[in-house]
Amino acid sequence: MDIKEVVAVLKQNGRVSVREGNGKVLELISMSSWNAANDDASGIFLLFETFQIRSIAEQFSEVSLDIVEYATKPTIYHTSASRLLKNGPQQEGNVKFALIKSDVWNRLLFAFGQPLIVQFIKSEKADFQQKEFFPLLSPNTKEMFLGPDGDIKIIRA
């Protein structure tokens, strides 16, 4: 998979499908192309650095930020959606996000330069193929809720 080609398709179409190493097809969507009528409200924002959290979520405690930054296993975080977030998946006022540290996937996010939304689709057809596994599909993936006042709840350990 050529990252430049994927980014070009994303910028042109706003979305792209990729078959990852396990054979699952992911749809990556730019925030401006996400559509509440057609897309999954349980989509996950993918970030390449902690600074991007500000664009999708309300501010939360330093402890929560440290948890995100220093996590060693793939983790999906739930937190309060930013009041400034106009377009993107939300459920009951919360968003889900993950800081992607895995080599190829992190480089793809960095090359695109802004958060992407991932949704898992049931399709046999994909625009691109990637040999590396998508980290959030790992059986070791954790889920946590990070509250604005520093409360932390483990959803899936």
Side-chain angles (χ1 to χ4, degrees), residues 10-67:
L10 271 167
K11 289 185 177 180
Q12 182 178 3
N13 301 337
R15 57 182 70 219
V16 67
S17 60
V18 177
R19 182 178 311 280
E20 56 87 53
N22 284 320
K24 302 252 184 187
V25 179
L26 323 166
E27 186 171 34
L28 302 173
I29 308 166
S30 69
M31 288 172 54
S32 60
S33 295
W34 189 85
N35 182 326
N38 301 328
D39 292 318
D40 191 356
S42 65
I44 303 165
F45 286 95
L46 303 178
L47 313 176
F48 66 87
E49 67 177 356
T50 55
F51 183 73
Q52 292 180 302
I53 296 170
R54 293 181 188 181
S55 65
I56 61 165
E58 289 295 320
Q59 190 168 2
F60 50 79
S61 73
E62 289 295 319
V63 172
S64 296
L65 193 58
D66 286 347
I67 288 171

Side-chain angles (χ1 to χ4, degrees), residues 128-153:
F128 294 94
Q129 188 144 348
Q130 171 56 40
K131 291 178 187 170
E132 188 173 322
F133 302 125
F134 186 68
L136 299 182
L137 293 174
S138 162
N140 296 332
T141 301
K142 313 291 182 216
E143 282 193 65
M144 300 176 82
F145 176 81
L146 303 175
D149 301 323
D151 50 324
I152 299 165
K153 296 177 187 161

Side-chain angles (χ1 to χ4, degrees), residues 79-156:
T79 193
S80 301
S82 171
R83 289 170 282 192
L84 303 175
L85 182 63
K86 302 277 188 256
N87 202 29
Q90 296 183 40
Q91 292 179 311
E92 299 173 13
N94 292 327
V95 293
K96 292 192 271 185
F97 72 91
L99 182 64
I100 303 298
K101 299 175 183 177
S102 180
D103 183 42
V104 169
W105 299 103
N106 179 276
R107 284 189 287 138
L108 171 63
L109 293 168
F110 182 79
F112 189 67
Q114 51 187 293
L116 283 173
I117 300 161
V118 65
Q119 59 188 19
F120 305 103
I121 57 174
K122 292 178 170 85
S123 172
E124 295 299 317
K125 186 177 177 246
D127 301 324
F128 294 94
Q129 188 144 348
Q130 171 56 40
K131 291 178 187 170
E132 188 173 322
F133 302 125
F134 186 68
L136 299 182
L137 293 174
S138 162
N140 296 332
T141 301
K142 313 291 182 216
E143 282 193 65
M144 300 176 82
F145 176 81
L146 303 175
D149 301 323
D151 50 324
I152 299 165
K153 296 177 187 161
I154 296 173
I155 297 171
R156 183 175 56 162

